[in-house]
Amino acid sequence: MQIMPDKPPKISELVSVCCLKDIEAWEVTSGFIVQNIASRRYRVIVPDQEIPDFIKRSPSQFQVDGESKYTKLFSQQLRNLLPEDKKSQFGWYLQQFIKLLAVQDNAPEDIVLIWDADTAPIHTLNFIDPNGKLMYYKSAENHLPYFETIQKLTGLNKKVAFSFIAQCFPVKVAWLNDLCASLEEKFHLPWVEAVLSQIDFEKPNSFSEYETLGTYISHRYADQVTYSDRPWWRFGNTLLNHVAFLSPKKAQELSSQYDFISFEKWERPKPYFTKVTIPYFFKITLASLFNKNLNRHV
């Protein structure tokens, strides 16, 4: 007979990484995050010079931290390792290591939820089941270079028939610490340097923090996790044309179909001007100007 925990554990911290080019999405998604995901703390990590903008445009629940406390450890090494024709991937790799290092800021017994900043949870979400198991969403990605790097790092092969790249990832800090300790023991390097040493930067996008952690956890802690078949949607811009059109009413309508919706920058509907720019002007820009003028005369 399985013994239920007296009090199911809680998310200690929700952490996101963002930058100014994604702040339009962040202004919308961050509001849904604090409304629909319970966490003791919320933190967003941004380029240092962008901290004032994010303080102004984030919910008060979010602590805004500068990324330099993490990136100074490895950013130049990463930049040097990237071939000239792959330099554009610098930020993509950088944010993955920031997330992992930010998780390690927490106590070993804590549970941290990594949440993609461009993703809006559209109804209440739980990531810990009544038995205390961590719950993972699924996706259908299967990018071979991720698993080549994972195999070199850990000796482990893909165990599950789905991808862990699903916009969010809960993790016990102790699990990440165990993985990092094993890498340091194997390669006799600090774990970030160990990971960098095994990535084939000639191949595009050759490391995934979600797939690496997911593979390790599915092998080492299989009895402490569970998986959700609940649907979520990646192509929010195609669905709604722009994140600004995700109103509370629209979110409620869509919540019968999806748990969360992502608004990735690369995915823009076409023609953009007709579908987005004109409606955005009337719904957002013009309304904002009207409200400012109205307040001025009150």
Side-chain angles (χ1 to χ4, degrees):
M1 181 173 134
Q2 190 170 22
I3 299 173
M4 300 276 285
D6 293 335
K7 291 183 180 179
K10 296 180 180 180
I11 299 293
S12 298
E13 179 172 81
L14 181 149
V15 64
S16 294
V17 175
C18 199
C19 62
L20 204 56
K21 70 180 179 64
D22 296 316
I23 202 164
E24 272 188 1
W26 174 252
E27 282 191 283
V28 176
T29 62
S30 58
F32 283 99
I33 290 169
V34 297
Q35 177 183 336
N36 289 321
I37 303 176
S39 176
R40 292 194 181 100
R41 298 181 301 277
Y42 300 86
R43 186 157 62 115
V44 61
I45 301 165
V46 304
D48 291 34
Q49 68 274 17
E50 297 173 6
I51 290 174
D53 293 286
F54 275 88
I55 290 174
K56 289 177 190 173
R57 299 168 73 173
S58 300
S60 60
Q61 293 92 329
F62 268 93
Q63 175 181 325
V64 181
D65 283 351
E67 66 181 28
S68 65
K69 66 182 289 191
Y70 306 113
T71 59
K72 65 185 178 184
L73 300 173
F74 66 92
S75 61
Q76 192 56 53
Q77 183 183 1
L78 171 59
R79 199 179 294 277
N80 293 341
L81 286 167
L82 282 164
E84 282 302 318
D85 64 340
K86 303 291 190 304
K87 295 292 187 189
S88 62
Q89 295 178 21
F90 173 76
W92 183 83
Y93 281 109
L94 193 79
Q95 54 89 23
Q96 297 189 61
F97 289 98
I98 292 171
K99 292 173 189 173
L100 297 176
L101 288 162
V103 170
Q104 289 192 309
D105 273 347
N106 292 268
E109 64 273 15
D110 285 347
I111 298 170
V112 176
L113 175 62
I114 306 171
W115 185 269
D116 284 6
D118 58 11
T119 300
I122 53 176
H123 60 67
T124 303
L125 301 183
N126 293 305
F127 290 86
I128 306 169
D129 81 358
N131 298 312
K133 294 183 178 184
L134 299 196
M135 188 276 292
Y136 294 87
Y137 284 86
K138 305 174 182 178
S139 80
E141 286 197 35
N142 190 19
H143 186 51
L144 182 59
Y146 293 157
F147 298 98
E148 291 174 343
T149 302
I150 293 167
Q151 220 288 325
K152 288 192 288 184
L153 286 169
T154 66
L156 301 174
N157 295 316
K158 184 178 173 73
K159 185 180 180 183
V160 299
F162 56 85
S163 170
F164 284 94
I165 302 174
Q167 312 304 117
C168 51
F169 196 97
V171 61
K172 292 186 178 181
V173 178
W175 296 353
L176 173 58
N177 290 344
D178 286 349
L179 170 60
C180 294
S182 71
L183 295 176
E184 292 181 350
E185 182 178 358
K186 179 177 180 178
F187 294 100
H188 307 288
L189 291 168
W191 72 264
V192 173
E193 291 184 35
V195 174
L196 291 173
S197 74
Q198 298 305 303
I199 295 172
D200 183 353
F201 287 101
E202 293 292 341
K203 296 179 180 178
N205 308 100
S206 293
F207 175 70
S208 165
E209 83 282 36
Y210 287 178
E211 292 286 33
T212 303
L213 272 173
T215 299
Y216 186 77
I217 290 166
S218 66
H219 279 271
R220 298 286 188 258
Y221 304 102
D223 62 336
Q224 298 181 54
V225 302
T226 185
Y227 305 111
S228 173
D229 289 316
R230 289 281 307 165
W232 58 277
W233 191 248
R234 185 173 185 179
F235 306 108
N237 288 316
T238 298
L239 183 68
L240 295 178
N241 293 331
H242 194 282
V243 66
F245 304 127
L246 184 66
S247 64
K249 181 180 179 183
K250 192 65 180 177
Q252 186 174 14
E253 291 173 9
L254 292 169
S255 67
S256 62
Q257 301 174 63
Y258 310 114
D259 278 8
F260 49 87
I261 300 174
S262 175
F263 295 87
E264 298 184 13
K265 197 78 173 178
W266 60 266
E267 183 242 336
R268 275 179 28 149
K270 294 180 175 57
Y272 192 78
F273 184 80
T274 304
K275 288 188 173 182
V276 177
T277 306
I278 293 174
Y280 186 90
F281 175 78
F282 282 102
K283 181 179 175 65
I284 308 299
T285 309
L286 202 60
S288 176
L289 289 172
F290 177 79
N291 288 334
K292 283 180 182 176
N293 287 332
L294 188 65
N295 290 336
R296 201 174 289 139
H297 290 94
V298 172

